[in-house]
Amino acid sequence: MRNRYLDLLRALAIVRVVVYHVTGWATLTLVFPAMSVMFALAGSLMAASLTRVGPAAVGHRLRRLLPSLWVLAVVFVPAMLFSGLSVSPGVLLWLFPVADPPANHWGALALSVIWYLRDYLWFVLASPVAFWLFRRAPLMTLLAPYLLLVTIEVGIYPAPPVLREFGLYFGAWLLGFAHHAGMLRRLSGRLLYPVAFALAVGGGAWIVEHPGPRGYDLNDNPLGNALWSAAFILIVLGRAPAGVAWLSRSRLADRAVTVLNRRALTVYLWHMPFVVALTPLVDVVGWSHQDPVGLAVRVLLVFALVGLVTLAVGWVEDVAARRRPELIPGGPAQSADATIRPDAAAAARPGAEGAARPGTEAAGGAGATVGRAVVPAQRTARGQRRDQRSLIVRLPLSAEPSSTRDAAGLSETVTVLSPESALDRTR
């Protein structure tokens, strides 16, 4: 079963990224460091896959990552080639972006979000080795990216940009490993909160002392970003609630979270071209870039246009994940965990032949009839002793009870199939 709290975090991160790119509000990066959160969630999923299938998880992740990029490339690479991009072997990087793929003057901005897939790809490829090290020396493995970033930022080691990215975001990825392993959840409050506070203070101080061209924007300050984001991740994952029951009570919110999770790559990859395309319209209409009405309209237009693209090509993510393609994910779901047999449902109806009478409990095996336990209406101490002498339950040697009481604790029962049988019936 999916963790809806993690789904909610991912949905909020996607929305925050889009709103930030439309508005440019640096404060949003401090309030919710979305990119680090997305890498941490991805790291947790990668650790789960490595635990389940081993190094084959790399292929599974790439299968889900690359098709959405290829759809984007089919549209934009020919457009860039027709508008000035020279043909070179580097164009093949749009198929497997281990480095920044080439782009022309407008494509470099409209498709600038490709860096996320580049880093994600490297982190996936490095994960089998990193996971092996993490299971043997978790603390040192967690600290390594942050120590690397410190040596780069203070000038001790003038590393290439790819190593700076490892220092910045691979630490968040490894915190996802720690979340999957349960390390963050097991940390006591007396340790977790002081560590998070120290990281936040250190990151905040570095940001204040080293402001970037956009002020206190985390994207301009790798070390401040890494420390501040680590503190945020420790809190939101280390003290994650057991569930978000309120979400299931709102059909609209629940559906929105599902759609944003099932279409996360499509929304992320396609929103920036629309942001770039709509920016000149602000000047045409006469709205200021800081005008609340103009910004609100731009945000709504971007989400509307991304929604249209998602309807057109979002199903590619379903195919990549080997799910049944859906136009809008999150429709009425059929439970595959438990299925009620028609004959058992009929037996549970009052008055039906073979129905369990009030005060009785039936237990059914696979193709076997099981005796019932007789329970008196009044349970006095003497009656309880008499029941213990007269209680008779007849079970065939080859049968195992598979019935259970209903959720309300009533005596009428239904038969629940095993998960394997349920899956067979829903295929």
Side-chain angles (χ1 to χ4, degrees), residues 131-389:
F131 193 58
W132 184 87
L133 293 172
F134 175 81
R135 298 178 91 171
R136 284 152 181 80
L139 183 58
M140 289 305 302
T141 305
L142 280 173
L143 291 176
Y146 296 100
L147 294 176
L148 171 64
L149 186 59
V150 168
T151 61
I152 294 172
E153 290 300 300
V154 300
I156 298 176
Y157 176 51
V162 64
L163 286 183
R164 178 179 279 108
E165 295 295 311
F166 259 89
L168 171 55
Y169 290 118
F170 199 58
W173 187 277
L174 293 179
L175 285 175
F177 282 12
H179 169 259
H180 169 72
M183 290 175 57
L184 303 185
R185 184 175 60 254
R186 291 193 297 268
L187 287 177
S188 67
R190 287 179 294 183
L191 178 61
L192 185 142
Y193 292 118
V195 169
F197 180 76
L199 289 171
V201 170
W206 186 267
I207 293 167
V208 171
E209 291 295 323
H210 302 84
R214 291 173 289 188
Y216 302 134
D217 191 315
L218 288 186
N219 295 303
D220 300 330
N221 197 314
L223 182 57
N225 187 351
L227 297 177
W228 184 271
S229 298
F232 189 89
I233 292 167
L234 283 177
I235 298 299
V236 298
L237 293 186
R239 287 299 174 263
V244 281
W246 62 266
L247 186 61
S248 61
R249 292 193 292 267
S250 173
R251 294 182 61 184
L252 180 60
D254 190 65
R255 186 75 177 272
V257 168
T258 298
V259 170
L260 286 169
N261 275 267
R262 294 281 185 89
R263 299 293 182 261
L265 268 177
T266 303
V267 174
Y268 181 81
L269 289 173
W270 285 88
H271 82 275
M272 197 60 185
F274 292 124
V275 172
V276 173
L278 289 174
T279 298
L281 296 179
V282 175
D283 299 326
V284 173
V285 177
W287 286 326
S288 166
H289 286 271
Q290 300 302 319
D291 178 54
V293 176
L295 289 175
V297 171
R298 287 174 64 196
V299 169
L300 292 175
L301 284 175
V302 168
F303 273 109
L305 293 171
V306 170
L308 292 176
V309 173
T310 300
L311 288 174
V313 301
W315 55 268
V316 172
E317 293 194 60
D318 290 329
V319 175
R322 295 181 178 175
R323 296 188 298 257
R324 179 175 59 85
E326 295 180 281
L327 193 64
I328 303 178
Q334 295 180 350
S335 175
D337 296 330
T339 303
I340 300 176
R341 285 191 180 131
D343 55 344
R349 291 196 299 268
E353 182 179 358
R357 295 195 301 269
T360 66
E361 183 176 30
T369 302
V370 181
R372 59 179 179 273
V374 180
V375 181
Q378 298 182 354
R379 302 187 58 81
T380 63
R382 180 181 298 176
Q384 289 178 358
R385 289 194 297 271
R386 185 171 62 249
D387 293 341
Q388 292 171 1
R389 292 194 301 268

Side-chain angles (χ1 to χ4, degrees), residues 111-148:
L111 304 175
S112 57
V113 294
I114 299 299
W115 72 266
Y116 172 72
L117 271 72
R118 178 202 65 205
D119 286 7
Y120 195 114
L121 180 61
W122 275 109
F123 295 168
V124 167
L125 295 175
S127 284
V129 173
F131 193 58
W132 184 87
L133 293 172
F134 175 81
R135 298 178 91 171
R136 284 152 181 80
L139 183 58
M140 289 305 302
T141 305
L142 280 173
L143 291 176
Y146 296 100
L147 294 176
L148 171 64

